[in-house]
């Protein structure tokens, strides 16, 4: 990670719209956001089962009510998220009309890197 800030977006989507959600996110939404000055990189993630050893025991941890999908955006500064370029990119393509209205359990968090 090279950026000083990480913007994390997490959400769920109606099950029957997952193919559209993923296709639009990958082929339109992310490429548009990568054109915004100050956006360094984007990674998409999907929640999966977590089994680990903790306290000497193997445990499966269930993350209840946590969104299924996440996207992490490495950005140069918090101001990137308030630029006209960002505002235009998030409202282009099929995302605002065909995807965003069908998402739920949305979470938006900005993190500042504290270690080099």
């Amino acid at each position: 990670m090279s950026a000083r800030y990480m913007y994390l977006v997490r959400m769920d989507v109606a099950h029957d719209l997952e193919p559209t959600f993923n296709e639009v996110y990958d082929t339109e939404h992310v490429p548009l956001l990568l054109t915004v000055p100050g956006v360094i990189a984007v990674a998409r993630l999907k929640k999966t089962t977590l089994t680990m050893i903790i306290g000497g025991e193997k445990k499966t941890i269930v993350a209840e009510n946590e969104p299924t999908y996440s996207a992490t955006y490495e950005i140069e500064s918090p101001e990137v998220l308030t630029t006209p370029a960002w505002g235009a990119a998030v409202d282009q393509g099929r995302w605002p009309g065909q995807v965003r209205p069908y998402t739920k359990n949305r979470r938006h968090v900005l993190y500042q890197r504290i270690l080099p």
Side-chain angles (χ1 to χ4, degrees), residues 14-24:
H15 181 69
D16 58 326
L17 286 172
E18 279 187 283
T20 300
F21 171 85
N22 287 308
E23 189 257 324
V24 170

Side-chain angles (χ1 to χ4, degrees), residues 48-115:
T48 189
T49 303
L50 170 61
T51 301
M52 63 186 290
I53 294 177
I54 187 168
E57 290 183 53
K58 185 176 179 181
K59 296 183 180 184
T60 297
I61 298 171
V62 178
E64 294 182 32
N65 301 316
E66 290 297 319
T68 301
Y69 291 96
S70 297
T72 60
Y73 300 84
E74 287 186 58
I75 59 174
E76 292 176 357
S77 73
E79 290 75 26
V80 170
L81 304 173
T82 59
T83 63
W86 179 272
V90 297
D91 283 332
Q92 285 185 32
R94 294 178 289 164
W95 184 260
Q98 295 179 21
V99 177
R100 187 186 297 143
Y102 305 100
T103 61
K104 56 188 175 187
N105 197 19
R106 293 174 63 96
R107 301 177 188 184
H108 300 82
V109 181
L110 181 63
Y111 294 94
Q112 182 176 9
R113 186 177 58 166
I114 56 175
L115 285 176

